[in-house]
Amino acid sequence: MKLNRFCNASQFYNQVKDYLISQEAQHCLLLGISDTLVNNPERYPPNPYLASVEVAEQVVAVAIMTHPYKLVLSCQDLGAIEIFAKDLYTQSLQVPGVSGQTNEALAFANIWQNLTGQTYQLSMQMRIHKLQAVEPIVRTNGYLRNATEADRALLLQWNQDFEIEVFGELLTNAQYIDNHIKQNTIYIWQDEIPVSFVCCAGSTPNGKRLGPVYTPKEYRKKGYATACVADLSQKFLDMGCNSCFLFTDLANPVSNHIYRKIGYLPVTDCHEYKIII
């Protein structure tokens, strides 16, 4: 097995794109991060960890880490996981956590614990979904619109509320919302007043990944999130996308049911582990 580490995002993407595109839905997060690093690198801090593993000149594993976010990986050959872990350890890089398909993420967490003595805990069980046609839904009041600078303060608060509710901690800062507003990738469901929001989290060669989706508690059970995701998904399909993707939290059966109703079908399950440093 041969490890390749990259300093240039474009070179990295050219090396791994065929591997990632071969299972586009499964790799929608890795593809979206790669696209952002190539086309909007200001969204992330400098010097991300970009690596692949090859066997007989064929990519069999890919890993990306953009601080402060977790390591994201995909491995056809689980032997590559130890190669990534040892490379990160040798460079004395801090790994806040790992995200990947269930067995891959757990394998990395175990290897990292053996290398460093740092324990881990399961932070989220997720499922990747793929949509290629929006199913008819019962319409609710309101309409989808792009967020503007005038929505900034509200969106900052909503994003904080979302992260505390879902992750138990703040993961992003104001720049996260500012970038989305600047790039027209955050949308609001408006029913006289703003009641819900959804982001376009990343692009793949043939689709878009949606998320996060958030509705404040006082506006829930009115169909706003359903309408928001359905309309944005249709918007992207009308723009020429073949598919839309999103992650759901398996601990939230309501959201899983909502998205299935819209037309999102399950692809694979992923786990996130937090490294206890």
Side-chain angles (χ1 to χ4, degrees):
M1 288 186 175
K2 177 186 176 184
L3 174 73
N4 299 304
R5 200 187 313 134
F6 299 83
C7 296
N8 182 283
S10 294
Q11 291 177 355
F12 167 75
Y13 181 65
N14 287 335
Q15 178 75 11
V16 304
K17 64 181 179 182
D18 290 342
Y19 170 85
L20 295 177
I21 294 170
S22 68
Q23 293 179 294
E24 190 169 355
Q26 176 182 319
H27 295 141
C28 63
L29 177 56
L30 285 162
L31 283 163
I33 297 171
S34 300
D35 178 78
T36 301
L37 287 170
V38 171
N39 296 302
N40 301 104
E42 70 279 0
R43 288 269 295 272
Y44 293 113
N47 304 317
Y49 179 80
L50 307 171
S52 68
V53 170
E54 292 182 4
V55 173
E57 298 186 352
Q58 295 294 315
V59 175
V60 297
V62 173
I64 299 178
M65 185 169 65
T66 57
H67 283 290
Y69 302 106
K70 296 177 175 67
L71 177 74
V72 183
L73 54 79
S74 168
C75 298
Q76 285 182 352
D77 189 325
L78 292 180
I81 293 176
E82 187 169 2
I83 293 176
F84 288 141
K86 288 182 176 178
D87 185 50
L88 288 158
Y89 179 70
T90 300
Q91 296 183 73
S92 301
L93 293 177
Q94 186 178 87
V95 179
V98 59
S99 176
Q101 289 200 87
T102 305
N103 59 334
E104 299 169 2
L106 180 59
F108 180 91
N110 278 317
I111 292 169
W112 190 251
Q113 179 175 267
N114 291 336
L115 284 171
T116 66
Q118 296 172 350
T119 59
Y120 60 87
Q121 64 184 30
L122 179 65
S123 55
M124 187 172 291
Q125 300 178 68
M126 300 172 294
R127 181 165 290 159
I128 300 174
H129 292 74
K130 174 181 177 179
L131 172 145
Q132 292 185 294
V134 177
E135 297 293 332
I137 60 170
V138 176
R139 302 303 303 181
T140 189
N141 294 331
Y143 59 93
L144 186 74
R145 66 170 177 83
N146 275 100
T148 69
E149 188 65 29
D151 302 302
R152 181 178 184 272
L154 179 64
L155 290 170
L156 287 173
Q157 184 61 57
W158 281 3
N159 188 60
Q160 289 184 7
D161 293 344
F162 165 79
E163 291 182 349
I164 292 297
E165 182 176 335
V166 175
F167 304 111
E169 60 181 329
L170 297 178
L171 299 178
T172 59
N173 55 30
Q175 187 179 4
Y176 173 78
I177 293 297
D178 290 340
N179 284 331
H180 272 298
I181 293 173
K182 179 181 177 181
Q183 294 162 16
N184 291 316
T185 51
I186 187 165
Y187 300 81
I188 283 175
W189 191 262
Q190 182 88 10
D191 180 12
E192 297 186 359
I193 60 172
V195 292
S196 187
F197 86 88
V198 59
C199 293
C200 173
S203 298
T204 71
N206 301 294
K208 300 286 187 183
R209 177 169 56 89
L210 279 63
V213 183
Y214 180 71
T215 305
K217 292 179 179 179
E218 62 267 30
Y219 304 133
R220 292 177 188 173
K221 298 184 179 180
K222 299 178 185 296
Y224 293 138
T226 303
C228 203
V229 171
D231 279 23
L232 185 56
S233 301
Q234 188 62 59
K235 176 183 177 69
F236 289 145
L237 294 178
D238 291 344
M239 289 168 55
C241 290
N242 175 264
S243 306
C244 294
F245 314 101
L246 55 76
F247 284 75
T248 60
D249 179 356
L250 291 179
N252 186 343
V254 173
S255 66
N256 283 270
H257 172 72
I258 286 173
Y259 300 134
R260 179 72 71 93
K261 184 169 60 175
I262 295 170
Y264 280 90
L265 301 177
V267 174
T268 191
D269 287 358
C270 300
H271 281 178
E272 278 193 359
Y273 290 93
K274 180 178 181 179
I275 304 298
I276 311 301
I277 300 172

